Amino acid sequence: MQRISFIHAADLHLGSTINIGGKGPAELEEIFTQAVFKAYENICDYALEYSVDFVLLSGDIYDRENRSVLANHFFNKQCKRLAKKGIPVLLIAGNHDPLNEDNELINSPDNVYIFSSRQVDSREIYNDKDELIAQVSGCSYRGKADSRRLYRDYETIPGIWNIALLHTQLDPDNINYMPCSLEDLLARGDIHYWALGHIHQARIINRSINRAVAYPGIPQGRDAGEAGIKGALLVELIPDCQPVISFLPTSKIIYQKKEISINSIANGNFSDLKRLINNKAKELIKINNNINLNCDQVEPLKELEGIIVDWVLTGRGELSELIKGQRDELGSFLLDSLQKEFLSRKPFIWTRKITDHTGKLLDEGLLGDSPIFKEIEDVIAVLKNKQGLKDELLSEFGFIWTDKSDREDSKAASFQLDDQKLYDLIDYAKGLIIEELLERRERA
């Protein structure tokens, strides 16, 4: 085997749009509508820059089974750029764009190979010296759900790199998305790299000598559930070494969710709140390249166009009563002024929505030595220290919680439940309970 390199991307969702919370300004319309397309263009730019041996796309290239002419034309145009440099593009269709004979509106360039949906198919890769360097295998979805356990059917060739494309949730019990477990894939010791798709968060699941299992994530986030820098993976397979995996940022627009505490505003008004948010917005522009991914390198973020942010107002104080008393007018006032304030910045900041989680200032001393208050404190302490609480919440409430990063089939209300978020929710619930108790005492 010899050293090879390739780009692994997935879930392009060409033809989809990004969520900006309503109608955007005319001057940003093209940036918003082109963001998803630009991400794939960036992937092709990287492929040319690094002169990779091939590009892998692990499903959901298009957002819908019925491709649009525009999306199909754009994809082919970018692939033709790679064809000029002899770079093949190998892809499978996923659950969003299952393969049938009438899918392609425009014939694909000669360097594009689409794996069949009938059975696992393989393609041999040769270098410029006509030497066989790798075999890539895959199988496209044949419908919006596919229950086949195809990981067993991949064939390999000894003495070269064997790479498998698979669009899966990596869940053996979910029969909608080519069910399998990590253990199933690792049991296939003859496959050196599992190029997965479907999960929109970049994750290197497993890496060892001559082997890796990875998701590249979505190249361009499209809503607050796909926050942060998105991209693709540059993979180098080196004989008798761990694969070298680098993260390539491709998103022109980044989603952020930021909390703003009103605790620092004493006897303030809406202008003070706006000033506080403005200061936080200025900090947002200082985006860093911190990616929570155990990769070898993260390439610098290139030409970030903008940041779409959801603000969450938290904390307790007198300002909370003003916020709640003028909720609709305040929301309109803040939203309009914040959107205009940072429209011309580079990168721009677009406020998508503002959510109020503030509360009244509490004087817990009013409860004194109340046995109810002591019982609340005891319950809070138990909850914060209870092992397995997250698992119980998952079982009790279902997919409104999720301890897995980014399940594509989860409900829109799902969000990740980490330890800090759990503690914050417990403290917030405690505040609501005490607030209600104090109000009842005042009414008594």
Side-chain angles (χ1 to χ4, degrees):
M1 295 190 293
Q2 58 182 274
R3 182 173 185 153
I4 65 170
S5 68
F6 56 89
I7 286 179
H8 171 203
D11 300 284
L12 308 181
H13 288 278
L14 297 176
S16 64
T17 57
I18 63 174
N19 182 350
I20 61 171
K23 184 174 176 58
E27 55 264 51
L28 295 182
E29 183 177 358
E30 184 175 358
I31 293 174
F32 289 144
T33 57
Q34 292 298 312
V36 173
F37 292 111
K38 284 289 186 181
Y40 184 58
E41 184 176 332
N42 288 342
I43 290 170
C44 294
D45 288 344
Y46 280 121
L48 295 170
E49 178 183 346
Y50 289 103
S51 299
V52 296
D53 293 298
F54 49 90
V55 172
L56 303 178
L57 302 176
S58 301
D60 285 356
I61 286 75
Y62 300 98
D63 194 54
R64 296 179 301 167
E65 182 175 1
N66 297 322
R67 292 99 162 90
S68 72
V69 174
L70 177 64
N72 212 167
H73 174 72
F74 174 83
F75 178 75
N76 287 346
K77 181 180 177 181
Q78 296 305 313
C79 291
K80 286 177 182 177
R81 294 173 57 208
L82 303 183
K84 292 178 181 178
K85 296 296 182 180
I87 300 175
V89 178
L90 303 101
L91 66 92
I92 56 174
N95 58 293
H96 273 262
D97 58 353
L99 190 63
N100 64 60
E101 294 178 0
D102 301 321
N103 276 138
E104 302 306 313
L105 300 171
I106 304 170
N107 290 336
S108 301
D110 291 340
N111 67 320
V112 175
Y113 186 79
I114 305 174
F115 288 97
S116 168
S117 61
R118 293 187 296 274
Q119 61 188 21
V120 173
D121 189 11
S122 297
R123 189 76 168 180
E124 295 178 349
I125 305 294
Y126 294 83
N127 62 15
D128 53 10
K129 297 178 182 178
D130 206 30
E131 297 171 331
L132 180 61
I133 57 173
Q135 177 177 261
V136 178
S137 302
C139 186
S140 292
Y141 273 57
R142 56 188 178 188
K144 294 185 180 299
D146 202 320
S147 61
R148 293 175 292 174
R149 299 180 184 270
L150 292 174
Y151 65 90
R152 308 176 226 186
D153 300 337
Y154 287 73
E155 296 182 354
T156 58
I157 299 175
I160 62 169
W161 297 109
N162 289 281
I163 299 164
L165 295 170
L166 188 64
H167 195 81
T168 178
Q169 195 162 289
L170 209 58
D171 181 350
D173 298 321
N174 191 323
I175 61 172
N176 292 321
Y177 308 116
M178 292 197 177
C180 66
S181 66
L182 175 60
E183 290 71 24
D184 291 329
L185 302 189
L186 294 179
R188 290 296 311 266
D190 51 344
I191 293 182
H192 303 101
Y193 186 86
W194 284 96
L196 305 184
H198 186 67
I199 300 298
H200 289 186
Q201 183 70 33
R203 298 167 62 191
I204 299 175
I205 306 295
N206 184 273
R207 185 159 46 157
S208 59
I209 301 298
N210 288 346
R211 302 193 67 192
V213 181
Y215 286 102
I218 193 168
Q220 171 60 62
R222 299 165 299 158
D223 55 46
E226 297 167 351
I229 301 171
K230 301 302 180 182
L233 300 178
L234 173 65
V235 182
E236 295 179 82
L237 298 183
I238 306 166
D240 301 321
C241 296
Q242 282 196 5
V244 177
I245 302 177
S246 302
F247 184 79
L248 307 174
T250 58
S251 45
K252 290 286 189 180
I253 295 174
I254 293 174
Y255 282 85
Q256 296 280 348
K257 184 176 182 179
K258 292 295 178 182
E259 293 188 357
I260 300 286
S261 173
I262 66 168
N263 290 346
S264 62
I265 302 176
N267 302 317
N269 56 28
F270 295 158
S271 295
D272 297 307
L273 178 59
K274 180 175 177 291
R275 190 179 305 113
L276 181 62
I277 297 177
N278 275 352
N279 291 335
K280 291 290 184 181
K282 292 173 185 176
E283 295 175 9
L284 273 182
I285 297 175
K286 303 171 185 176
I287 291 287
N288 58 48
N289 260 29
N290 291 336
I291 305 292
N292 187 22
L293 185 69
N294 57 329
C295 60
D296 297 287
Q297 183 177 340
V298 177
E299 288 296 305
L301 189 62
K302 295 181 180 179
E303 300 175 9
L304 180 65
E305 296 272 9
I307 303 163
I308 298 176
V309 60
D310 288 359
W311 300 105
V312 181
L313 305 181
T314 64
R316 294 184 173 276
E318 295 179 1
L319 185 59
S320 177
E321 295 188 45
L322 289 175
I323 293 172
K324 296 184 186 306
Q326 302 284 337
R327 188 186 302 272
D328 292 339
E329 289 187 25
L330 170 66
S332 178
F333 164 74
L334 278 179
L335 198 64
D336 184 62
S337 59
L338 287 171
Q339 287 176 347
K340 291 178 179 176
E341 182 89 19
F342 295 95
L343 198 59
S344 59
R345 300 287 184 100
K346 296 293 183 181
F348 68 81
I349 297 177
W350 178 259
T351 295
R352 193 177 75 100
K353 70 175 181 178
I354 302 168
T355 304
D356 174 32
H357 284 171
T358 63
K360 293 180 180 179
L361 192 63
L362 298 178
D363 184 359
E364 296 178 4
L366 293 176
L367 289 173
D369 296 326
S370 166
I372 296 177
F373 181 64
K374 184 177 185 305
E375 185 174 346
I376 292 171
E377 289 291 348
D378 290 342
V379 170
I380 295 298
V382 169
L383 290 175
K384 286 187 174 181
N385 293 289
K386 184 175 182 180
Q387 296 295 321
L389 176 59
K390 285 194 295 182
D391 292 336
E392 289 185 26
L393 288 172
L394 283 167
S395 174
E396 182 71 22
F397 295 106
F399 285 130
I400 188 153
W401 312 100
T402 174
D403 61 353
K404 294 185 177 180
S405 57
D406 192 50
R407 298 169 64 108
E408 185 183 283
D409 67 332
S410 62
K411 304 295 186 294
S414 299
F415 57 91
Q416 296 175 38
L417 182 64
D418 55 28
D419 289 338
Q420 186 57 52
K421 190 166 293 180
L422 176 60
Y423 296 154
D424 290 344
L425 287 168
I426 291 171
D427 287 334
Y428 185 65
K430 170 190 169 184
L432 291 177
I433 293 170
I434 293 175
E435 186 176 316
E436 179 66 19
L437 288 174
L438 291 174
E439 287 182 354
R440 289 185 182 186
R441 173 173 287 189
E442 290 175 1
R443 292 195 299 266

